[in-house]
Structure formats: structure tokens, C-alpha cells
């Protein structure tokens, strides 16, 4: 049977109790410890019949992305786990050389030395891993819960749900071609071209103070929001009047607190957003605007208090290893459902708070 008949962008969560694990980013030992505390074996089996759900971003930045992906893939292939696609897996599928993913390409990359030693993937394993990434759904949901990597955006979910997709990458590229046509016909395109001509070479340079580029910000917001796969895997973004350096480049759009306008009744679990695990934010973990300002570390958030980000910055654990910040500042987390209890790789359990509390 070909991929046209087998690929599903949206899959159904099983009726079992769930353990939804946030972004892992190559932190294999943290994952092993978390699975042990949760009660899973190496094939993802649980004595109480619970099911693992991975929220994406298995890889990049950490010391052993290949081992993380192999472990998760084995659990998924055994039918004991679900994993949704994250933006880091999508970047690799698209062939992009991005901050922290040189482990996949076995190439030296400027800036990746800050992550320390990363285990390199054998060339023979690349295609099987790409095939696995290409098989991952974008959304996992049922009538009680929704899981997506970065944003529940109903128009985008409906769009991908209406498509008989043969390939994630082909669909992504087709949407990009359509967006390019829109961009080129926009009255601001000439200003965007002028900005890029002057500043393109400086955008990846943290030492270069790049000013706010208005046309570039406008075009990047347009590009982000026109592609459902971008929205669901890397979030809702809006142009801002400030620049900040993150992920190896100067940014001109900010991630938006989309959950503040999410008024649907079904709870949503996400990763992606580097939620600070301490009451007092650690400055080294800052990535532009603090999306969780005013939200306690273990609180549900959003207009109806029914959205929860389970990414507690384990993707920045390289900063602990390098001595930039103290040990224990980052965590790998799982949300236990329906208990709504957090389990961390340290073995600490914490009850999440304020579920269903309206903020508007």
C-alpha cells in the first residue's frame, strides 16, 4: 500500500490514560529517567495499560538525538506510543541546516559548538529516520483532549484534515509556492527586497545590531500564517517593532499567545515554547518576549484555562553542562492525563493548577 493511503495527518488518541512527553531535544538520559519514573519499559509498555504520546522536537541541540529517535520510533512501531511532528523534525525533512541539527548531516556548523559534543547519525540511518519523520501525524486528538506541537489553530487543522496528503514535504512546498506568488504580488515586496539586499548577510550574525525591518517582518508573518504546517508546528506569529536574536538569526516576528483567544472547550497540550520551570525566570533561557509572564510554572493558561505547555526548557540543558547556568534549571516533563499531574525526569511529581480557570 502506498503512502497516499497510509499517511494520516490527524490521528485519534486512544481511550487509555496517557502520558504526554514534552520536547526532548536529544536528551536521551533525561528521557530514560523520565520513562523509568513513569513506569514504561524500553518498548513503551506500561503495566497499567497507559499510552505514551510524544509532542515532537525529539531531536537537535542535545548530546544524543539518534538514540532518542530510535527509542521513540521503536515504541511507535510497536504500537505503544504516538508521536506528533515538531518543527525540528520538519526542518530536517525539508533538508534545512538549522541551529543544533548538524548531528543529522554530519557537517560542521557555525555556532553548533556551543551545544557540546553531539552524537552523529550514521549516513546509512538517514533515510530510515527521514521515513519515520515523514510518517508522523501533525495532530493527535479525541473528544477529550488535543495534542499538537505548537498551536491549535482551527482553520489550519481543518485545512490539513481536508487533504489527502501523499507527503508532508510536498504539501509544505506547494503551500510555500502559493505563498511566494502572494508575496511577489504584494505592494510591500519591493521594500522587502531592498531590506534583504542590505541586511541579509547580517541576519545570522549575533554581533551585528540589525534594526527592525518592517517589510521583512510583514512578509515573515504572512509566510508563517499562510501555511497550516508552519502554524501547527511552530505557532502563530505576528510582526513586532523589536528585534531579538534566537535560533541562530535575528527575528522580526514574535510568537503569539494564541491560547489567550482559544475559547473552545477541549483542552490542548503543546510543547515548543520553552516554558521556564522556575517562579523567577532564568535570563539565560529568554527567547524574546516571555509568553508566560503572569503564569505560574505549573498553571494551565489561556482564555479558558485549558491549554498547557509541557516544554520546560530541556532543550537548553547544554547551558547547564557548559556552566552558563546552574544544574537543575531545565527539566524534561510529562503531563499525566486525565490526572493532570506533571512528572519530571528528576522523579518529582507536581499537580498542575488552575485547570479551567478563565482569564478573560
Amino acid at each position: 500500500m502506498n503512502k497516499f493511503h497510509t499517511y494520516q495527518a490527524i490521528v485519534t488518541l486512544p481511550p487509555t490514560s496517557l502520558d504526554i512527553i514534552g520536547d526532548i531535544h536529544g536528551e536521551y538520559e533525561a528521557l530514560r529517567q523520565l520513562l523509568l519514573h513513569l513506569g514504561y519499559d524500553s518498548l513503551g509498555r506500561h503495566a497499567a495499560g497507559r499510552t505514551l504520546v510524544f509532542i515532537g522536537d525529539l531531536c537537535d541541540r542535545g548530546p544524543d538525538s539518534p538514540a532518542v529517535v530510535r527509542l521513540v520510533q521503536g515504541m511507535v512501531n510497536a504500537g505503544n506510543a504516538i508521536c506528533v511532528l515538531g518543527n525540528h523534525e520538519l526542518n530536517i525533512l525539508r533538508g534545512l541546516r538549522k541551529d543544533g541539527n548538524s548531528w543529522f548531516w554530519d557537517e560542521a556548523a557555525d555556532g553548533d559548538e556551543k551545544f557540546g559534543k553531539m552524537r552523529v547519525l550514521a549516513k546509512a540511518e538517514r533515510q530510515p529516520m527521514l521515513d519515520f519523520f515523514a510518517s508522523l501525524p501533525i495532530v493527535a486528538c479525541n473528544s477529550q483532549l488535543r495534542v499538537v506541537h505548537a498551536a491549535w489553530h482551527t482553520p489550519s487543522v481543518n485545512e490539513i484534515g481536508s487533504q489527502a496528503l501523499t507527503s508532508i514535504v510536498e504539501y509544505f512546498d506547494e503551500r510555500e509556492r502559493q505563498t511566494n506568488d502572494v508575496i511577489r504580488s504584494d505592494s510591500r515586496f519591493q521594500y522587502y527586497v531592498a531590506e534583504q539586499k542590505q541586511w541579509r548577510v547580517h541576519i545570522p550574525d549575533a554581533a551585528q545590531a540589525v534594526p527592525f525591518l518592517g517589510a521583512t517582518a510583514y512578509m515573515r508573518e504572512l509566510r508563517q500564517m499562510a501555511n497550516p504546517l508552519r502554524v501547527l508546528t511552530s505557532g502563530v506569529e505576528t510582526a513586532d517593532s523589536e528585534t531579538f536574536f534566537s535560533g541562530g538569526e535575528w527575528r522580526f516576528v514574535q510568537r503569539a499567545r494564541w491560547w489567550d483567544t482559544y475559547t473552545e472547550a477541549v483542552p490542548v497540550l503543546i510543547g515548543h515554547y520553552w516554558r521556564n520551570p522556575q517562579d523567577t525566570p532564568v535570563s539565560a533561557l529568554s527567547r524574546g518576549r516571555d509568553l508566560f509572564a503572569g503564569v505560574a510554572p505549573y498553571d494551565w493558561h489561556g482564555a479558558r484555562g485549558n491549554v498547557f505547555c509541557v516544554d520546560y526548557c530541556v532543550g537548553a540543558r547544554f547551558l547547564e553542562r557548559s556552566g552558563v547556568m546552574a544544574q537543575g534549571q531545565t527539566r524534561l516533563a510529562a503531563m499525566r492525563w486525565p490526572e493532570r499531574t506533571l512528572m519530571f525526569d528528576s522523579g518529582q511529581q507536581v499537580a498542575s493548577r488552575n485547570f479551567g480557570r478563565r482569564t478573560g
Side-chain angles (χ1 to χ4, degrees):
M1 188 177 293
N2 62 38
K3 292 181 181 179
F4 180 86
H5 297 290
T6 60
Y7 178 71
Q8 290 180 276
I10 301 175
V11 299
T12 302
L13 289 170
T16 61
S17 296
L18 306 173
D19 292 300
I20 300 97
I21 295 180
D23 303 35
I24 302 167
H25 286 299
E27 295 292 342
Y28 178 63
E29 289 304 320
L31 175 59
R32 287 182 65 248
Q33 289 301 312
L34 180 58
L35 292 171
L36 179 66
H37 295 311
L38 291 169
Y40 289 90
D41 69 11
S42 61
L43 289 177
R45 296 173 297 199
H46 195 281
R50 302 178 71 92
T51 301
L52 282 165
V53 181
F54 295 91
I55 219 156
D57 279 8
L58 306 178
C59 57
D60 297 355
R61 302 194 179 106
D64 204 344
S65 290
V68 170
V69 177
R70 289 188 205 107
L71 183 58
V72 173
Q73 183 175 4
M75 294 174 173
V76 171
N77 290 347
N80 298 325
I82 293 170
C83 180
V84 300
L85 187 75
N87 59 302
H88 282 253
E89 290 82 34
L90 181 58
N91 286 339
I92 290 173
L93 276 174
R94 295 179 58 216
L96 301 183
R97 274 60 171 174
K98 300 286 280 188
D99 198 41
N101 77 3
S102 55
W103 65 272
F104 186 88
W105 310 107
D106 192 12
E107 297 172 351
D110 290 342
D112 271 12
E113 65 276 0
K114 66 179 176 289
F115 299 116
K117 185 174 177 57
M118 293 188 289
R119 188 176 298 275
V120 173
L121 184 71
K123 188 174 181 179
E125 293 188 71
R126 288 184 197 167
Q127 192 57 52
M129 193 169 287
L130 288 171
D131 292 341
F132 173 59
F133 290 167
S135 74
L136 297 179
I138 312 302
V139 172
C141 60
N142 57 26
S143 62
Q144 304 300 312
L145 185 66
R146 295 165 170 175
V147 177
V148 64
H149 182 65
W152 186 273
H153 183 251
T154 298
S156 295
V157 174
N158 291 343
E159 169 66 20
I160 66 162
S162 70
Q163 303 295 313
L165 303 183
T166 59
S167 162
I168 294 171
V169 174
E170 288 178 7
Y171 175 76
F172 186 99
D173 290 345
E174 176 57 29
R175 292 306 297 247
E176 291 295 279
R177 285 190 288 270
Q178 294 171 10
T179 303
N180 286 339
D181 290 341
V182 172
I183 285 174
R184 292 190 185 98
S185 65
D186 193 283
S187 61
R188 301 193 199 186
F189 182 66
Q190 59 181 318
Y191 304 108
Y192 167 73
V193 171
E195 288 177 351
Q196 290 297 299
K197 183 177 180 180
Q198 181 176 359
W199 293 102
R200 183 192 299 273
V201 297
H202 301 299
I203 288 174
D205 184 0
Q208 172 69 52
V210 176
F212 179 73
L213 307 177
T216 296
Y218 172 81
M219 293 300 177
R220 291 192 176 179
E221 178 184 337
L222 191 160
R223 182 176 296 283
Q224 177 71 15
M225 298 309 299
N227 189 327
L229 290 183
R230 283 188 183 273
V231 176
L232 299 176
T233 61
S234 56
V236 175
E237 296 185 358
T238 58
D240 206 336
S241 58
E242 300 177 358
T243 59
F244 64 99
F245 195 85
S246 178
E249 64 179 54
W250 287 97
R251 308 277 178 164
F252 308 97
V253 295
Q254 289 274 6
R255 292 171 172 176
R257 293 168 52 125
W258 61 267
W259 45 83
D260 286 345
T261 57
Y262 178 75
T263 58
E264 298 179 42
V266 182
V268 180
L269 290 180
I270 55 171
H272 188 63
Y273 291 100
W274 283 48
R275 185 173 190 172
N276 210 300
Q278 282 79 35
D279 286 308
T280 303
V282 178
S283 60
L285 298 178
S286 175
R287 304 189 77 197
R289 177 191 299 143
D290 181 6
L291 297 180
F292 299 101
V295 180
Y298 309 132
D299 277 8
W300 289 76
H301 45 97
R304 294 183 62 152
N306 65 350
V307 178
F308 199 98
C309 175
V310 290
D311 179 2
Y312 282 93
C313 297
V314 78
R317 189 159 287 183
F318 67 93
L319 295 174
E320 295 182 10
R321 285 189 288 270
S322 66
V324 171
M325 62 187 194
Q327 297 290 313
Q329 301 295 296
T330 65
R331 304 178 192 178
L332 178 61
M335 172 67 76
R336 313 206 81 177
W337 183 268
E339 299 89 345
R340 302 198 301 273
T341 299
L342 290 163
M343 176 72 81
F344 295 103
D345 59 303
S346 64
Q348 179 189 19
Q349 290 192 74
V350 179
S352 65
R353 304 187 312 171
N354 292 315
F355 177 73
R357 183 191 66 180
R358 293 180 179 269
T359 59

